[in-house]
Amino acid sequence: NIYLDNIYFYKEPTTATEPSAAAPLPTEDAADVVSIYSDSYTNLAETNFNPNWGQSTAVSFVDVAGNETMKYANFNYQGTNLGSNDGTAQDLSAMEFLHVDIWTADATVVKLTPISASTGEFLYELTPLTQGTWNSYDIPVGDFTDVSMADIHQLKFDGQAGVNPSNIYLDNIYFYKEPTTATEPSAAAPLPTEDAADVVSIYSDSYTNLAGTDFNPGWGQTTVVSNEDIGGNEMMKYASFNYQGTQLDGNQDLSAMEFLHVDIWTADATVVKLTPISASTGEFLYELTPLTQGTWNSYDIPVGDFTDVSMADIHQLKFDGQAGVNPSNIYLDNIYFWKTPTASGSDATLSDLQVDETTVTGFSANMMSYNMELPYGTTIIPTVTATTTDPNAEFVINAAGALPGITEVVVTADDDITSLTYNVNFTLANAVPTVGAPVPTHDETDDNVFSIYSDSYTNLEATNFNPAWGQSTQVV
């Protein structure tokens, strides 16, 4: 009794003698490459790929899957003269690697060296060398021991330590370096697309920014704030950034806004957080993610993501990088709050708000509250007038009953549903004297006057009239 299986005829696999596919496409940026032979880059001009060095090798150029490839038939060794018929020294000291792709059906050892006009050669073995497939090598130039990269005038391939002669195919012979990491943006941030009527801008060339903003209040930060011109557009730079505040001119009612936009560029920061700060409810740090280094990152953050932060009285902003690389350097642009365009018939905004026939300072259709200080002793309540953005909207003005006081402008949209209230808060300046203090009568010498502050005497020098004792007092 016998059992049988796997009864078949077969032959030995056919070994390919030439590549059927092109070498892999290089991925290095052309700006980082000095190319000797490649369809992917501009090659060094006037290179002689077949100088007579007594070799048996026959050099030819063949098409492999639509890509020109260099063939060394009957290969024992082969030289290349760079940049001219006899070779011209090339300063490649800025390069870090030599790349080459090689295919062979029969070679067992292939060595390669750049040749320096001053220090000669060092044959580096390309290993592993797998027959019947493309082999790609990225050789650190330092592995060519004692070969100066400052005056490379030739290359040499050598197969004499293995099967000899053999046949090899070559492509993508080039020197390259790692990309240089940019430390600052080379192009401006993307231009915003929101309509100005839907925006309250803190910092942007594209809109009218809130007046009176202090972009560098002293909060104990290491950050150095400056404005830089990038691509013809002003950007704000935070150097040595750990955290940084921005002080708005009073409380801003941004309750009509839906998003906070910011553009950020960094080469080294890994974590950046951002919060608007409410005078009543404080802050909530929101992480800007993803944060990709070396490019502009644009964020549109729903204001609801700033948990429990009231948008009705925003008086500050804060950027914070302390959870990541710290300090770092970041660039900022287009910091603004915005809302989606108002639907037809639901626009309850004003296009103008005037006090005594003058538009209030810092007026914006999306700002609901304004402060106006009147001279001390004012008794006549200023006249407030308004113009609606939608001519079909209506408004009612509820004038202040006394000074100080608040005049309200209540606007109702054409839909008779949507309503907004604008407030003008009138305050009175502090009383100031209208005449000077009495002139002192004591004689400075006879009465031994020791003066701290007076126009009538010689005052004690170097007196500090405003030491920082934590007071709210402003000395002027």
Side-chain angles (χ1 to χ4, degrees):
N1 299 295
I2 65 173
Y3 297 84
L4 301 172
D5 199 2
N6 300 322
I7 303 169
Y8 57 84
F9 296 91
Y10 76 97
K11 63 180 180 69
E12 294 291 346
T14 302
T15 301
T17 59
E18 61 183 26
S20 59
L25 284 173
T27 58
E28 282 69 44
D29 191 279
D32 301 316
V33 168
V34 175
S35 182
I36 310 303
Y37 181 80
S38 176
D39 280 351
S40 297
Y41 303 111
T42 300
N43 298 314
L44 192 62
E46 306 299 329
T47 293
N48 180 0
F49 290 100
N50 194 20
N52 183 5
W53 290 7
Q55 69 274 21
S56 65
T57 308
V59 179
S60 62
F61 300 93
V62 298
D63 184 281
V64 176
N67 192 35
E68 184 182 275
T69 304
M70 186 158 52
K71 178 181 179 180
Y72 287 177
N74 203 36
F75 168 62
N76 61 342
Y77 64 89
Q78 178 63 42
T80 299
N81 287 340
L82 304 183
S84 67
N85 189 61
D86 296 323
T88 300
Q90 309 293 322
D91 185 356
L92 303 175
S93 54
M95 299 296 104
E96 299 171 352
F97 300 92
L98 172 54
H99 178 95
V100 63
D101 295 313
I102 183 170
W103 191 102
T104 185
D106 54 356
T108 55
V109 175
V110 177
K111 298 181 180 181
L112 167 63
T113 182
I115 302 175
S116 162
S118 61
T119 61
E121 66 180 58
F122 179 90
L123 283 166
Y124 176 94
E125 185 173 350
L126 301 176
T127 183
L129 179 61
T130 304
Q131 294 178 349
T133 189
W134 281 104
N135 301 268
S136 296
Y137 306 94
D138 292 280
I139 311 158
V141 295
D143 288 357
F144 299 107
T145 307
D146 295 331
V147 176
S148 170
M149 290 293 124
D151 58 354
I152 300 300
H153 68 136
Q154 296 170 326
L155 296 181
K156 182 169 76 172
F157 288 86
D158 196 310
Q160 296 175 96
V163 170
N164 173 27
S166 60
N167 297 282
I168 66 173
Y169 293 79
L170 300 168
D171 201 1
N172 301 319
I173 306 169
Y174 58 85
F175 294 86
Y176 73 95
K177 61 181 177 68
E178 295 289 356
T180 302
T181 302
T183 58
E184 62 180 29
S186 58
L191 284 174
T193 57
E194 282 69 44
D195 192 280
D198 300 315
V199 168
V200 174
S201 181
I202 311 301
Y203 182 86
S204 177
D205 281 351
S206 297
Y207 304 110
T208 299
N209 299 316
L210 280 179
T213 299
D214 181 0
F215 291 100
N216 194 22
W219 290 6
Q221 69 274 21
T222 63
T223 309
V224 178
V225 180
S226 62
N227 291 300
E228 309 288 331
D229 184 281
I230 305 292
N233 195 19
E234 183 179 274
M235 313 283 161
M236 187 155 51
K237 178 181 179 181
Y238 287 176
S240 194
F241 166 62
N242 61 340
Y243 63 89
Q244 179 62 41
T246 296
Q247 181 70 53
L248 306 182
D249 186 18
N251 298 344
Q252 308 296 326
D253 185 353
L254 302 174
S255 54
M257 298 295 101
E258 299 171 355
F259 301 92
L260 172 55
H261 178 96
V262 63
D263 294 314
I264 182 171
W265 191 102
T266 184
D268 54 356
T270 53
V271 176
V272 177
K273 298 180 180 182
L274 167 62
T275 182
I277 302 176
S278 161
S280 61
T281 62
E283 65 180 58
F284 180 90
L285 283 167
Y286 177 94
E287 183 172 350
L288 301 175
T289 183
L291 180 62
T292 305
Q293 295 179 347
T295 189
W296 281 105
N297 301 268
S298 297
Y299 307 94
D300 290 282
I301 311 158
V303 295
D305 288 356
F306 299 107
T307 306
D308 295 330
V309 176
S310 170
M311 291 294 125
D313 57 356
I314 299 300
H315 69 136
Q316 296 168 330
L317 297 181
K318 182 170 77 172
F319 288 85
D320 196 309
Q322 297 176 97
V325 170
N326 173 28
S328 59
N329 297 282
I330 66 174
Y331 292 79
L332 301 168
D333 200 6
N334 301 319
I335 306 169
Y336 58 86
F337 294 85
W338 64 281
K339 63 179 179 66
T340 53
T342 304
S344 177
S346 62
D347 190 346
T349 63
L350 295 178
S351 61
D352 194 16
L353 180 63
Q354 295 190 352
V355 174
D356 290 338
E357 300 184 348
T358 300
T359 300
V360 297
T361 302
F363 172 76
S364 167
N366 300 308
M367 293 291 296
M368 300 295 110
S369 184
Y370 301 89
N371 295 317
M372 178 170 289
E373 185 179 76
L374 303 174
Y376 175 78
T378 300
T379 57
I380 299 175
I381 298 170
T383 300
V384 174
T385 56
T387 304
T388 58
T389 304
D390 181 354
N392 295 320
E394 297 179 348
F395 64 88
V396 174
I397 296 178
N398 300 317
L403 294 176
I406 298 174
T407 293
E408 292 183 338
V409 181
V410 181
V411 186
T412 303
D414 189 38
D415 61 9
D416 289 328
I417 299 172
T418 308
S419 179
L420 292 174
T421 299
Y422 293 80
N423 293 317
V424 181
N425 179 32
F426 295 109
T427 59
L428 295 176
N430 293 325
V432 294
T434 57
V435 297
V439 177
T441 58
H442 297 94
D443 185 270
E444 185 168 3
T445 302
D446 294 344
D447 295 332
N448 295 317
V449 172
F450 187 84
S451 180
I452 308 301
Y453 182 83
S454 175
D455 285 345
S456 299
Y457 304 114
T458 302
N459 297 314
L460 183 66
E461 293 183 356
T463 297
N464 181 0
F465 292 100
N466 192 22
W469 291 3
Q471 70 275 22
S472 63
T473 310
Q474 293 182 336
V475 179
V476 294

